[in-house]
Amino acid sequence: MEIEAFSAAATVALTSTIVFLLIAKTWNAVSRTVGSSPSFSDRIMHEAAQRFRDELERLSCSQSTYLSGALVFVVLFIAAYILQAQHLFTGYPSWQLYLQLGFLGLVSLFALYHLAKTFMARRQIRFMRDANVAIGHQLLQLSAGGTRIFHDVATTAGVVDHVIVGQKGLYAVNVIARRSAKRAHARLRENTIEYSDSKIEHSIVDLSAKSIRLQKEFRELLGHKVRVRSVIAVPGWEIGEQTSDQHLLVNERTIAMLSGWNDSSDYLMNEDVAVLQENLTSRCLRA
């Protein structure tokens, strides 16, 4: 019977594929655990968008595993069907075979769902990585005269994408990665960002909290008050009006203007700059 041939081939292929996926997933987990620390980890620091690079690598590996599993299933299904594996189910009633096929179909749909979910997550993470890398590379223009740029600085309120430390002040740069329409612009209104291509507003309260927390940590480290200026980068967007003086809204082309956004009260002593840079260096190591 045709139903016996399909059931047998699908059972053999799916069982083998599940075993293959379990082995592959286990190997990936062991590889990440054993090889998680890079060589010279006491000298290698976070690059721009480091956490997105790591997540993209994990998702890429997962996507490759699922695609390999799909290929294994197809190859084994064809092989089992050609080799007449239906003898494994000779004598079984048809309702059991249909029930088994239904179960195999549900498992296949579940696997396809995870593959699609991984694909969409990888696409979004790749965009976020590129947005952060674009901002990070533009910030390199400011790394002169004792000014240094640090990436993925962790605080108790979240991760700050980029931190600038120099004699002329401290800046916390957070990136909002959102796809833009052609000639679309973003504008800052108090604690929200408005986009011209939609009525959706993006709250920046969480970004403010990260900058405030970083400022508090620096104050505790130095023993006196310092100011961390909050910069919000929206790559790919034209910048509209800004009604808040608590934040500076920029894109990848205008981010260099933050170097002029300060006053004499923001200036730091050389000793303070050295202490902060040493602290951030230790916090941003890949170890």
Side-chain angles (χ1 to χ4, degrees):
M1 293 177 60
E2 195 70 16
I3 182 64
E4 293 178 347
F6 274 106
S7 295
T11 300
V12 171
L14 185 61
T15 302
S16 302
T17 301
I18 291 175
V19 173
F20 168 79
L21 290 176
L22 288 175
I23 295 174
K25 286 286 187 180
T26 302
W27 174 254
N28 291 338
V30 171
S31 298
R32 286 196 300 269
T33 302
V34 174
S36 58
S37 297
S39 302
F40 312 104
S41 57
D42 59 335
R43 291 293 181 268
I44 299 178
M45 298 178 61
H46 292 164
E47 299 180 59
Q50 186 63 60
R51 66 190 189 281
F52 298 117
R53 295 171 189 262
D54 294 341
E55 180 65 9
L56 182 63
E57 182 180 354
R58 186 191 69 81
L59 289 173
S60 297
C61 183
S62 181
Q63 179 177 281
S64 298
T65 300
Y66 282 123
L67 290 175
S68 299
L71 179 61
V72 168
F73 176 83
V74 171
V75 171
L76 291 179
F77 178 85
I78 295 175
Y81 187 81
I82 293 175
L83 295 175
Q84 300 181 351
Q86 64 266 29
H87 296 298
L88 295 173
F89 293 92
T90 301
Y92 279 70
S94 297
W95 68 269
Q96 288 188 359
L97 298 178
Y98 281 113
L99 185 63
Q100 182 175 342
L101 275 180
F103 172 75
L104 295 176
L106 289 176
V107 173
S108 299
L109 288 176
F110 181 75
L112 289 175
Y113 166 75
H114 271 279
L115 177 59
K117 186 178 178 181
T118 301
F119 176 81
M120 295 302 295
R122 183 179 178 276
R123 179 173 179 269
Q124 179 61 22
I125 289 294
R126 183 173 59 185
F127 179 74
M128 297 173 70
R129 179 206 61 183
D130 292 345
N132 274 269
V133 169
I135 295 299
H137 286 180
Q138 292 303 310
L139 288 175
L140 291 177
Q141 302 176 19
L142 307 177
S143 57
T147 300
R148 291 185 60 187
I149 315 296
F150 299 89
H151 309 288
D152 282 4
V153 179
T155 72
T156 54
V159 178
V160 179
D161 294 317
H162 313 280
V163 175
I164 304 174
V165 180
Q167 293 179 336
K168 292 185 177 181
L170 307 170
Y171 300 88
V173 182
N174 288 291
V175 179
I176 297 179
R178 186 177 186 273
R179 288 180 170 82
S180 63
K182 187 177 181 180
R183 295 182 179 178
H185 64 269
R187 60 183 180 181
L188 182 60
R189 293 287 185 87
E190 297 301 329
N191 289 321
T192 60
I193 295 178
E194 298 176 354
Y195 301 100
S196 62
D197 65 340
S198 71
K199 296 182 179 179
I200 299 176
E201 297 182 351
H202 190 114
S203 174
I204 58 173
V205 173
D206 57 332
L207 303 184
S208 299
K210 291 190 287 186
S211 299
I212 293 173
R213 183 58 195 176
L214 187 65
Q215 179 174 282
K216 182 179 179 181
E217 292 177 2
F218 286 169
R219 183 173 67 244
E220 293 174 351
L221 180 64
L222 297 177
H224 61 80
K225 185 178 180 180
V226 294
R227 180 179 183 180
V228 175
R229 290 187 176 268
S230 174
V231 180
I232 300 174
V234 284
W237 292 82
E238 299 296 332
I239 304 301
E241 63 179 313
Q242 304 187 42
T243 61
S244 173
D245 59 356
Q246 300 300 315
H247 309 276
L248 178 65
L249 188 65
V250 298
N251 58 27
E252 74 280 10
R253 299 183 302 276
T254 63
I255 193 167
M257 66 186 296
L258 69 83
S259 60
W261 187 44
N262 55 27
D263 53 47
S264 58
S265 62
D266 296 328
Y267 288 10
L268 298 174
M269 300 291 290
N270 291 338
E271 294 79 3
D272 293 338
V273 172
V275 170
L276 292 176
Q277 291 182 351
E278 181 179 359
N279 175 264
L280 289 174
T281 298
S282 62
R283 290 167 65 172
C284 294
L285 289 174
R286 289 296 305 277

